[in-house]
Amino acid sequence: MPDPVDQAVAHARAKAARTLPVFVAMLLAVVAMSLPLPRRFVAVVPLVLVVVLTVRLLRFLTDRKGSEKVVPAMTLVVAGVLLATLGLQGLFYPQVRDYEACVAGAQTSEALAACEQLRDGVFWGARELG
């Protein structure tokens, strides 16, 4: 009969081997989300990888207690939120691009306020600045 301590250690090692790639991919996705707008969409690749690896990790943990599944489930939620954020930025790409270009070129607080009006106009229907 196998030793319970050896089984626990083997399970912990297998779980760590499945968890590390998830967090490395999530770190890459977060770094990619900070890139300028056209390049930011490369974050979809590590985010999809996070989703796939996290689902595999959750399937590995099916016979374990629920507390071990909390962090992978939260990781799945965060990856979903980041994918939704990228989707919205893709949906409103021209407006987001214009806003980011405005903020990058703003050198005064008045110019930054004009950029904020441009941003608010995207979602609240205010007229855009020309």
Side-chain angles (χ1 to χ4, degrees), residues 2 6 18 29 34 42 50 52 58 60 65 74 76 91 94 109 116 120 125:
D6 290 340
R18 287 174 169 83
S34 68
V42 76
V50 166
V52 169
L58 285 170
F60 172 74
K65 59 186 177 184
M74 288 174 48
L76 204 54
L91 186 63
S109 59
E116 298 303 320
D120 293 342

Side-chain angles (χ1 to χ4, degrees), residues 58-72:
L58 285 170
R59 291 184 74 205
F60 172 74
L61 296 173
T62 54
D63 60 338
R64 306 301 285 190
K65 59 186 177 184
S67 62
E68 284 190 53
K69 300 174 190 173
V70 171
V71 172

Side-chain angles (χ1 to χ4, degrees), residues 6-30:
D6 290 340
Q7 285 181 341
V9 169
H11 176 75
R13 285 184 179 160
K15 182 180 171 185
R18 287 174 169 83
T19 303
L20 183 63
V22 171
F23 288 112
V24 169
M26 183 60 88
L27 181 64
L28 286 174
V30 170

Side-chain angles (χ1 to χ4, degrees), residues 3 16 30 35 49 53 59 62 73-74 76-77 82-83 85-87 92 117:
D3 185 27
V30 170
L35 293 173
L49 185 62
L53 292 175
R59 291 184 74 205
T62 54
M74 288 174 48
L76 204 54
V77 169
L82 291 175
L83 280 169
T85 300
L86 282 173
F92 294 103
Q117 286 179 340

Side-chain angles (χ1 to χ4, degrees), residues 99-115:
Y99 170 72
E100 287 190 0
C102 182
V103 169
Q107 296 182 358
T108 64
S109 59
E110 291 84 13
L112 194 56
C115 294

